[in-house]
Amino acid sequence: MTSKDTAIKTIRELPDSAAWEDIEERVRFLSAIDKGLADVRTGKVVAHDEVKESLKKWLAGSSAG
């Protein structure tokens, strides 16, 4: 399914009362998921343990102030 097909399907599934902001938010959300899945397929990921360690260091550094 192309990006355009996904956007059209998404818009059709939203309620008729959906505002422009609702449509934009849903399309951006699905786009971000697609980008994340593409990153996983190409190996552009960070191991969970690395993220935890980085976050631990970042939080320790930010609380020093």
Side-chain angles (χ1 to χ4, degrees):
M1 182 177 287
T2 67
S3 297
K4 180 179 175 180
D5 292 334
T6 301
I8 291 169
K9 180 180 181 289
T10 299
I11 291 168
R12 285 191 177 130
E13 291 174 352
L14 288 171
D16 290 341
S17 60
W20 283 109
E21 293 80 12
D22 300 327
I23 296 168
E24 180 182 13
E25 180 181 349
R26 181 67 60 92
V27 169
R28 285 184 187 273
F29 176 73
L30 293 175
S31 174
I33 289 174
D34 282 347
K35 182 184 180 313
L37 291 173
D39 286 347
V40 168
R41 283 191 295 272
T42 59
K44 297 179 184 174
V45 295
V46 177
H48 182 75
D49 290 339
E50 289 180 51
V51 173
K52 284 174 38 178
E53 191 61 33
S54 293
L55 187 57
K56 189 186 309 180
K57 290 176 184 176
W58 181 76
L59 289 173
S62 68
S63 64

